Amino acid sequence: MTPRAERIRGWGFAAPALLWTVAFFVVPFLVMGAMSLATLEGRTLVWGLSLANYVELTEKAYLARAIMVSLEITVTVTVVSVVLAYPLAWIIAFRVPARWQRLALLLAILPFWTSYVVRSYAWLLVLAREGMINNTLIGLGLISEPITLANTRFATVTGFVHFFVMLLTLTIYANLIQLSPNYRRAAMDLGANAFQTFRHVILPLTLPGIVTGAFLTFVLCIGDYVTPQILGGNTELTVPQVIMVQLGRRADFPLASALAIVLMGIVTLAYIASARWLRLDRL
Amino acid sequence: MILRMLPWAYLLAAFVFIYLPVGTLVLFSFQEGSLPVPPFNGPSLRWYGDILGDDDLTGALLNSLLVAFGAASVSVVLGFLAAYGLARHVLPGSAVMRGLLIAPLTVSYLIVGLGLLIVITRAGLGLSLVTAAIGHVVINLPIAFAIIYASMGAQQQNAERAARDLGASEAQVIRLVTVPMLMPAIAAAFFLSVTLSWDEFIIAFLLTRFDVTLPVEIWSMLRSGLSPRLNAIGSLVFLVSVSVVLILELLVFRRRR
Amino acid sequence: MTAPVILAGLNHWFGPFHALKDIDLTIEAGEYVTLLGPSGCGKTTLLSVLGGFIDPSAGEVLIGGRDMTHVPPAKRPTTTMFQDYALFPHMSLRDNVGFGPRMAGMGRAARNARAEQLLGMVGLASEADKRPHELSGGQRQRVALARALAVEPDVLLLDEPLGALDLKLRRAMQDELKSIQRQVGTTFVHVTHDQEEAMAIADRIVVMNAGRIEDVGPPARVYRAPASLFAADFMGEMNHLPARITVEGVETPFGLIPQALPPTGRAVACLRPEAITLGEGQVRIGPARVRDAAFFGTHARAHLVPDATPDLTLVAHLPPGAMPAPGDSLDLSAAFDAFRIFPVKE
């Protein structure tokens, strides 16, 4: 085959997927970008190149507040999830005997496959006023009145952390297990204790995996609507919740688009910050 | 001694945390009364009977299956062809093409759904299960492509060369060598797509109208607060997802080793 | 720094699998010993027991006269050079070599100086800032050696250290390993499955099979006068002749060999290919027909069928000057002491 014919053939195979991605991802994305520069006059949409929506984000306190809330929740969730997942992955990789590892891992991430909506609802059952936790605490006599757990930021963070601990355990475990066991042996052999081995050898070697997992957590968390909506209630709104409000009640597509673009901007910044260690091809 | 027990204590605590919500969900799906909170007064299959007799729910369940299998099939076929084209042919700009195909992975589902919603409503088209499936292909295609592309190693390439050398046409090579050799990856991509699409909420919520998928139906039930019906349907959904994952584990990953 | 090693009554089981069987071995301080054997023979297990990575089921390990049987790797005067080298990919060569001294609490300046000195010894002084992935296989092997020596072990354990290198580099590195060992004087225990490597490098070879030690001795002795049939075969190509031990000597198809062995009946007489010579000798093999021959530079390797034993094919290494052609008839013989006799257990 000549290089030219070969090329045409290669394009032919890739074309359907590329066209699909362009038509249903790139084009909608560009339209959304254009929409963010349009304005609503009454109920009619006026296309244009106006920055009014972006200006509104800085002027209206509840919009700026939503961005802050989203950032705070996402950063908290990412840090807490990594800190909780790493020891779990470590224990499964290095403490659980080899023949039980796959089972332990499977069990550790099985509830990951609970439906997205159902998972948040299940946490509501646990955290509700009459739910499992309050009931148990009252039963034990630790508290006399139910404490408010649901419809708080704590509930949102808990729901998120539950989900991302499972995801991160999986990615960090995969990272730990692919390291040659000889790295640990060599470090020990050269006189390092368990902590030094972790600090100087294992942690630096798994950093790309941690950062990749943390980035994934950040992206999925900041864009999620369901968990804060079900568990956080309407005490404080995240950006995705505000977007949905714009779409629903007011059909303000331009403002919703501007918020979506801001969300993407934040993700891009997170990407740039972590690019040095990111290995998205290794997911 | 305490130091030795610490990892196991941590493991136990982690498992309690991980299984607390699912355990509660499943336990109170067998509740006799109409509030899924303690005290437990079951077991009873009352609410399972209730949801299975609910036409809206069973209809939504069928819709979900339809969307999931449809979207997964399209994703895997497109993803496979693209992986084959990009892995087996020297193309200028193929790194850019790979980047483009993977790009939707880095964007929130909400944004993917919002963009499609704007275009579809602007174009004056109606929302239906088909538009939801289109959205699901957008998010599943990168995963299918990435999984299949990653498994197209040199070993397969040599087998393909050998087949071509022995006179097989390109179509025969794909049908008789590439696809069978990549079956584990293709199956993994397919079932992963099915589970992701089956569970997906926000795109389905934005892009459907009259016929809805199960997560959207569950969402509307949620408005009326805690109910054992939700526990029952949630447990069923969990059972289905877990079955698919276990089948995948047993059939695909076991064999690969 | 150097120390002798004594292994006494070592046994190890992996579940039902008996991996090490009654290992007794003494290694002198400053000796270069290779553990040689096929894969699965227990040589790597034995090395891991020495390094402290495996706690043996029974027996003792004494290093420098002290009982080290249950001492963890970090507390032993041994270092292991791993087969995959296990160089830390995120550290420069200097930091890799300086890792051991750093763990021992040595300050930055001192450990950098030490690392550079050792990198100099292995010829990589100018590469100290590089990362392992920038190096060739042979260079990585040297860095691993420098890193292992940086903690001044009494005993250095090398697990197939040259396994990942191509043949030419392997031969060159063998000479280098040996010369570095002479220079530092540390006891080296080196695992390999390549008998040429073992012969090239070792003061003494330990031949292992199925968890047991088959033979221990200097290379020339193990090659020429192996203690077991397994060692005989593993050390190099060997002709097997059916034989019988009687009171008069050993009966072979080519005549009687005078050897004072207890008459135990059936035996195998072993003869190295290079011990078969042209012309007259103590044992006359007689005329033999050349089946095929190939030129090997230092010798011609031929398959020969002696007229006296048409069922037997011998391999011989003949002088390279006169290449025999298939069909030629050659007159062969061998010396008495070229034969090794091993009774066959019945």
mmCIF file of all heavy atoms in Angstrom, chain C residues 165-174:
data_model
loop_
_atom_site.group_PDB
_atom_site.id
_atom_site.type_symbol
_atom_site.label_atom_id
_atom_site.label_comp_id
_atom_site.label_asym_id
_atom_site.label_seq_id
_atom_site.Cartn_x
_atom_site.Cartn_y
_atom_site.Cartn_z
ATOM 1 N N LEU C 165 21.722 -8.312 30.012
ATOM 2 C CA LEU C 165 22.668 -7.738 29.045
ATOM 3 C C LEU C 165 22.888 -8.676 27.867
ATOM 4 O O LEU C 165 22.736 -9.891 27.983
ATOM 5 C CB LEU C 165 24.009 -7.479 29.748
ATOM 6 C CG LEU C 165 23.931 -6.676 31.035
ATOM 7 C CD1 LEU C 165 25.321 -6.477 31.615
ATOM 8 C CD2 LEU C 165 23.244 -5.339 30.802
ATOM 9 N N ASP C 166 23.290 -8.105 26.735
ATOM 10 C CA ASP C 166 23.580 -8.981 25.604
ATOM 11 C C ASP C 166 24.943 -9.647 25.808
ATOM 12 O O ASP C 166 25.730 -9.260 26.676
ATOM 13 C CB ASP C 166 23.482 -8.244 24.267
ATOM 14 C CG ASP C 166 24.493 -7.132 24.159
ATOM 15 O OD1 ASP C 166 25.677 -7.386 24.460
ATOM 16 O OD2 ASP C 166 24.111 -6.018 23.777
ATOM 17 N N LEU C 167 25.194 -10.662 24.986
ATOM 18 C CA LEU C 167 26.310 -11.565 25.253
ATOM 19 C C LEU C 167 27.658 -10.850 25.368
ATOM 20 O O LEU C 167 28.428 -11.093 26.294
ATOM 21 C CB LEU C 167 26.365 -12.628 24.156
ATOM 22 C CG LEU C 167 27.304 -13.789 24.454
ATOM 23 C CD1 LEU C 167 26.820 -14.577 25.653
ATOM 24 C CD2 LEU C 167 27.437 -14.696 23.242
ATOM 25 N N LYS C 168 27.909 -9.927 24.437
ATOM 26 C CA LYS C 168 29.220 -9.292 24.392
ATOM 27 C C LYS C 168 29.457 -8.445 25.641
ATOM 28 O O LYS C 168 30.498 -8.529 26.291
ATOM 29 C CB LYS C 168 29.298 -8.413 23.131
ATOM 30 C CG LYS C 168 30.696 -8.228 22.640
ATOM 31 C CD LYS C 168 30.691 -7.588 21.278
ATOM 32 C CE LYS C 168 32.064 -7.013 21.007
ATOM 33 N NZ LYS C 168 32.033 -6.089 19.876
ATOM 34 N N LEU C 169 28.408 -7.673 25.981
ATOM 35 C CA LEU C 169 28.491 -6.808 27.149
ATOM 36 C C LEU C 169 28.646 -7.654 28.409
ATOM 37 O O LEU C 169 29.364 -7.305 29.349
ATOM 38 C CB LEU C 169 27.207 -5.988 27.217
ATOM 39 C CG LEU C 169 27.194 -4.802 28.175
ATOM 40 C CD1 LEU C 169 28.375 -3.892 27.895
ATOM 41 C CD2 LEU C 169 25.902 -4.024 28.004
ATOM 42 N N ARG C 170 27.973 -8.786 28.400
ATOM 43 C CA ARG C 170 28.019 -9.714 29.516
ATOM 44 C C ARG C 170 29.437 -10.141 29.813
ATOM 45 O O ARG C 170 29.876 -10.123 30.959
ATOM 46 C CB ARG C 170 27.259 -10.959 29.062
ATOM 47 C CG ARG C 170 26.199 -11.331 29.982
ATOM 48 C CD ARG C 170 25.458 -12.470 29.416
ATOM 49 N NE ARG C 170 24.967 -13.057 30.617
ATOM 50 C CZ ARG C 170 24.010 -13.899 30.732
ATOM 51 N NH1 ARG C 170 23.451 -14.372 29.677
ATOM 52 N NH2 ARG C 170 23.605 -14.309 31.861
ATOM 53 N N ARG C 171 30.139 -10.539 28.751
ATOM 54 C CA ARG C 171 31.520 -11.002 28.930
ATOM 55 C C ARG C 171 32.388 -9.868 29.471
ATOM 56 O O ARG C 171 33.229 -10.068 30.340
ATOM 57 C CB ARG C 171 32.087 -11.517 27.601
ATOM 58 C CG ARG C 171 31.333 -12.709 27.014
ATOM 59 C CD ARG C 171 31.457 -13.971 27.866
ATOM 60 N NE ARG C 171 30.599 -15.050 27.381
ATOM 61 C CZ ARG C 171 29.593 -15.584 28.075
ATOM 62 N NH1 ARG C 171 29.292 -15.131 29.283
ATOM 63 N NH2 ARG C 171 28.871 -16.560 27.551
ATOM 64 N N ALA C 172 32.184 -8.657 28.947
ATOM 65 C CA ALA C 172 32.985 -7.519 29.398
ATOM 66 C C ALA C 172 32.688 -7.210 30.864
ATOM 67 O O ALA C 172 33.591 -6.949 31.665
ATOM 68 C CB ALA C 172 32.683 -6.300 28.521
ATOM 69 N N MET C 173 31.396 -7.276 31.230
ATOM 70 C CA MET C 173 31.012 -6.949 32.606
ATOM 71 C C MET C 173 31.514 -8.008 33.598
ATOM 72 O O MET C 173 31.784 -7.697 34.750
ATOM 73 C CB MET C 173 29.490 -6.826 32.728
ATOM 74 C CG MET C 173 28.883 -5.594 32.086
ATOM 75 S SD MET C 173 29.659 -4.032 32.546
ATOM 76 C CE MET C 173 29.410 -4.050 34.313
ATOM 77 N N GLN C 174 31.621 -9.249 33.118
ATOM 78 C CA GLN C 174 32.153 -10.298 33.998
ATOM 79 C C GLN C 174 33.549 -9.925 34.472
ATOM 80 O O GLN C 174 33.858 -9.999 35.664
ATOM 81 C CB GLN C 174 32.231 -11.634 33.260
ATOM 82 C CG GLN C 174 30.886 -12.293 33.061
ATOM 83 C CD GLN C 174 30.953 -13.404 32.044
ATOM 84 O OE1 GLN C 174 32.018 -13.793 31.579
ATOM 85 N NE2 GLN C 174 29.793 -13.914 31.693
#
